[in-house]
Amino acid sequence: MKDTSPRTGLFPSQALATLVLWLSLPLYFLQATWLHGATRAPVWGQRGLVATVSPLASEAGATILRQGGNAADAAVAVGFALAVTWPAAGNLGGGGFALVRGQDGKSTFIDYRETAPAAADKNFYLDAKGEVIPGASTVGYRAVGTPGTVAGMAMLHKKYGKLPWKKVLEPARRLAIEGFVMDESFVSMLESNKERLEKFPGSRHIFLKDGKGFKAGDRLVQPELGWSITQIQRQGESAFYQGEIAQRLAKAIKKGGGVLTLDDLKNYKAVERAPLEGRFKNYQIITAPPPSSGGALILAMLGMLEKDDLEALGFGSAAYNHLLVETMKRAFADRAEWFGDPDFTQNPLQKFLAPDYLSKRRAGINLTKTTPSQDIKPGDFSDKESTETTHYTIVDAQGMIISNTYTLNGSFGSGATADGTGILLNNEMDDFSSKPGSPNMYGLLQGDRNAIAPKKRPLSSMTPTIVLEDGKPILALGSPGGPTIINSVFQVTLNTLVFGMNIQAAIDAPKFHHQWMPDRILSEPFGINPDTKKIMQSMGHNFGDRVFQFGDVQAVFYDKKRQQWSGGSDSRHGGSVAVE
Ligand code: DON
């Protein structure tokens, strides 16, 4: 039957209902999009969450949670899975840090950073004239530090996991042997690292299809890596450090002109350390101790801002940006001078983090004018995209949290794989200062405390962090990006704690970076609007010529109102949050 009722007229009750609806709509949208920023919504979960850069790896972690595993089991599953599905940074041939917070409220830090081979010393990358040999610490077998990832994962599992080791490694084994379909971003990652991978026949074979190249939609099968994971699955970490894998690694490295030996592998040990702890306003911050510089810098920067009303300055305002940049410069200046492997050098943490020192540092900031970075040779920061390290964060239904950052250092590490293992090798040796005063590939200037010595760990910027409020965890996060890691973690932390952004918005909000030297601000695309930039320039700030994306934060955040965990993953890198 045809509807003949007038289109415009409404009965009073209908009119009232419509009016109420219209009046409440803005409220609804306001609440639904409140503090979202211009981005997608976070992922919410009633039980566990797994945030990683690779959806396949996130799913591997969530599968283990569903099978009754805890966050430590899932973290090990993800660690191995990323070695298969995110080979630019996921690894067995690299190293990293896992920050653990147990459901019992105890925190610990597993340091599985690579170590310098016994044959490497202070002058390892210098020529006869004492100059740094270009590329020696970044490309090929001589750049490789003794890998720590397998030992770190084994320690994490042994101390904190509950499912059998074999079961936890199974998703990664299957992904390697059965393969997975590569998407556009995976293939472009291979493409953009072609030059480096091409140099090494093993890597060329696996990742470039012997020069024929892959296209999106192709399947990547990695039988040799599958073999390595199977060995580790059956025999545990000794397969990697003493068994057939170790033999193959040592042989390939020797053949390629490197110095890492079977003994280096046999002697490698992951170390459990006490995390660094500090406070910011009402929050307790648990973060990475040396050999990371990241945790100390985060605490120092937050400490300098303890008394500032950042919210009143306003997110993105010139005054806010200025204050953060000046804080970064001061913290990074100390990094260059003071930090190194705590087993080899004393890190003056107490003095560096003393409230008196930090408030003096803060008092030195002129609120209307920048302080130029001085008194040290300028470095050259390479403006690169940051896909070379990767962070993942996991929370399980019982509240155990793992915040893990691991890396090969550069994208695909040294570019070299060890024949017959499918394992890409790191170039972590570049994180040492090859020559004090000479910048490394991130343009970082570093001192004697970070000089190469046998078995020493290079100084890192990796900053897995967990934040508590009233003794309960509310935020866990971390990022790749070399030195930009520290400032990514710093800004995302402030975005959530100070500005109340939800976790996805906090991650996706544009960031900026200053590392003292070189004296310039690097900002993300569309990150600082032209008016703000002009004001900042009038205060004396320099901006780098290029804007570029950095960081790839993977995080979880507890929403007290909803009494639920939410997860976020940098929306520019194709990562995802999987739900238990
Ligand atoms: O430990 C460090 O600080 C560096 N090796 C991290 C490298 C990194 O984040 C590369 N990713 N963009």
Side-chain angles (χ1 to χ4, degrees):
M1 201 172 77
K2 210 173 165 199
D3 179 9
T4 53
S5 61
R7 290 281 162 211
T8 47
L10 289 171
F11 295 111
S13 61
Q14 273 180 297
L16 189 67
T18 309
L19 185 69
V20 169
L21 185 70
W22 277 105
L23 286 177
S24 60
L25 265 183
L27 198 69
Y28 169 77
F29 282 118
L30 194 69
Q31 281 190 348
T33 58
W34 188 48
L35 306 187
H36 262 230
T39 184
R40 64 188 180 192
V43 172
W44 296 93
Q46 289 295 351
R47 297 177 57 80
L49 289 178
V50 181
T52 89
V53 67
S54 154
L56 289 164
S58 299
E59 197 45 42
T63 302
I64 291 298
L65 292 179
R66 282 179 222 124
Q67 289 174 356
N70 64 13
D73 294 315
V76 175
V78 169
F80 278 88
L82 284 170
V84 182
T85 64
W86 195 252
N91 68 80
L92 303 185
F97 303 130
L99 180 61
V100 181
R101 161 123 179 145
Q103 62 189 106
D104 58 1
K106 290 200 186 111
S107 307
T108 188
F109 182 79
I110 297 179
D111 166 0
Y112 57 96
R113 182 78 164 156
E114 298 90 329
T115 51
D121 66 6
K122 214 173 155 155
N123 303 323
F124 193 56
Y125 295 115
L126 302 184
D127 64 16
K129 287 190 198 129
E131 299 301 331
V132 177
I133 305 165
S137 66
T138 54
V139 186
Y141 297 93
R142 236 179 123 72
V144 183
T146 312
T149 295
V150 175
M153 293 292 140
M155 183 183 263
L156 181 57
H157 178 262
K158 200 162 150 195
K159 296 209 157 176
Y160 303 99
K162 55 181 214 201
L163 286 187
W165 174 251
K166 281 202 175 100
K167 196 165 186 161
V168 171
L169 267 58
E170 186 55 15
R173 190 195 66 80
R174 289 187 62 168
L175 284 163
I177 303 248
E178 292 168 12
F180 60 92
V181 175
M182 291 172 280
D183 61 15
E184 202 66 52
S185 83
F186 189 96
V187 172
S188 74
M189 170 170 71
L190 295 179
E191 192 58 34
S192 57
N193 288 283
K194 201 168 151 188
E195 211 185 302
R196 168 177 294 231
L197 294 167
E198 225 157 30
K199 292 195 171 94
F200 304 95
S203 308
R204 185 171 180 268
H205 172 66
I206 300 167
F207 299 111
L208 303 174
K209 208 171 156 189
D210 289 318
K212 293 191 278 291
F214 287 109
K215 52 187 186 317
D218 288 349
R219 181 171 282 269
L220 181 66
V221 183
Q222 300 174 75
E224 291 174 334
L225 184 57
W227 172 83
S228 292
I229 296 172
T230 311
Q231 298 296 305
I232 299 167
Q233 201 179 22
R234 290 191 186 142
Q235 297 160 33
E237 64 181 305
S238 68
F240 186 91
Y241 290 100
Q242 292 168 42
E244 181 62 23
I245 301 176
Q247 304 280 350
R248 293 187 189 186
L249 290 174
K251 193 169 151 204
I253 291 169
K254 189 166 178 198
K255 191 169 145 214
V259 298
L260 198 156
T261 63
L262 262 182
D263 263 356
D264 288 316
L265 289 165
K266 211 166 73 196
N267 292 331
Y268 183 84
K269 295 259 172 310
V271 187
E272 201 167 5
R273 302 185 191 275
L276 266 188
E277 296 197 17
R279 294 204 70 85
F280 172 61
K281 302 194 191 271
N282 288 328
Y283 304 101
Q284 186 186 350
I285 316 282
I286 303 174
T287 186
S292 175
S293 60
L297 263 68
I298 290 288
L299 292 182
M301 294 193 291
L302 292 173
M304 281 185 240
L305 301 178
E306 177 67 29
K307 300 217 167 73
D308 285 287
D309 186 349
L310 301 172
E311 205 179 356
L313 293 179
F315 178 81
S317 68
Y320 176 71
N321 294 354
H322 170 75
L323 184 56
L324 259 60
V325 168
E326 293 302 305
T327 308
M328 291 171 184
K329 279 155 71 170
R330 282 156 178 80
F332 272 86
D334 285 338
R335 181 196 192 278
E337 184 64 29
W338 291 111
F339 290 90
D341 182 347
D343 296 339
F344 284 73
T345 182
Q346 240 198 331
N347 292 272
L349 290 174
Q350 251 182 338
K351 284 189 189 155
F352 178 63
L353 295 174
D356 268 7
Y357 174 70
L358 295 175
S359 54
K360 261 190 220 135
R361 275 294 220 190
R362 169 64 187 82
I365 297 177
N366 180 332
L367 290 177
T368 56
K369 219 168 156 299
T370 183
T371 317
S373 305
Q374 284 176 345
D375 298 336
I376 196 160
K377 284 188 239 160
D380 181 26
F381 194 93
S382 52
D383 296 356
K384 284 196 200 161
E385 277 223 9
S386 55
T387 51
E388 301 96 330
T389 297
T390 192
H391 179 86
Y392 54 91
T393 305
I394 300 175
V395 58
D396 68 21
Q398 279 69 46
M400 178 191 251
I401 298 176
I402 310 282
S403 183
N404 185 90
T405 315
Y406 76 155
T407 188
L408 289 164
N409 194 25
S411 203
F412 293 88
S414 64
T417 34
D419 285 349
T421 65
I423 295 175
L424 273 161
L425 298 164
N426 68 80
N427 59 353
E428 216 71 58
M429 292 293 285
D430 188 65
D431 275 349
F432 281 116
S433 50
S434 294
K435 182 179 172 183
S438 281
N440 73 354
M441 73 182 198
Y442 301 107
L444 282 172
L445 294 170
Q446 318 189 80
D448 247 350
R449 289 169 188 251
N450 190 29
I452 304 172
K455 301 188 182 173
K456 189 173 171 183
R457 287 161 151 83
L459 185 61
S460 172
S461 299
M462 293 187 286
T463 315
T465 297
I466 296 173
V467 178
L468 314 183
E469 187 181 11
D470 301 327
K472 296 207 180 84
I474 54 156
L475 171 67
L477 76 169
S479 176
T484 69
I485 293 173
I486 301 172
N487 288 329
S488 294
V489 170
F490 179 44
Q491 286 166 88
V492 174
T493 301
L494 292 174
N495 291 349
T496 27
L497 302 187
V498 174
F499 295 103
M501 295 184 202
N502 76 40
I503 192 61
Q504 188 61 48
I507 292 170
D508 285 343
K511 307 180 290 297
F512 50 84
H513 171 74
H514 200 304
Q515 60 182 45
W516 185 40
M517 288 288 188
D519 189 357
R520 65 176 176 201
I521 297 169
L522 295 171
S523 62
E524 294 203 301
F526 312 111
I528 299 184
N529 81 44
D531 297 342
T532 308
K533 194 169 168 181
K534 260 191 215 139
I535 300 174
M536 292 178 72
Q537 280 165 331
S538 75
M539 294 164 125
H541 289 284
N542 301 316
F543 285 83
D545 294 337
R546 285 185 56 195
V547 287
F548 75 115
Q549 289 178 201
F550 55 82
D552 183 6
V553 171
Q554 310 288 331
V556 296
F557 179 76
Y558 189 75
D559 187 306
K560 281 192 297 188
K561 270 193 224 138
R562 289 176 63 141
Q563 301 199 336
Q564 244 183 344
W565 282 97
S566 58
S569 169
D570 191 322
S571 59
R572 301 167 302 183
H573 293 282
S576 74
V577 184
V579 186
E580 181 181 348

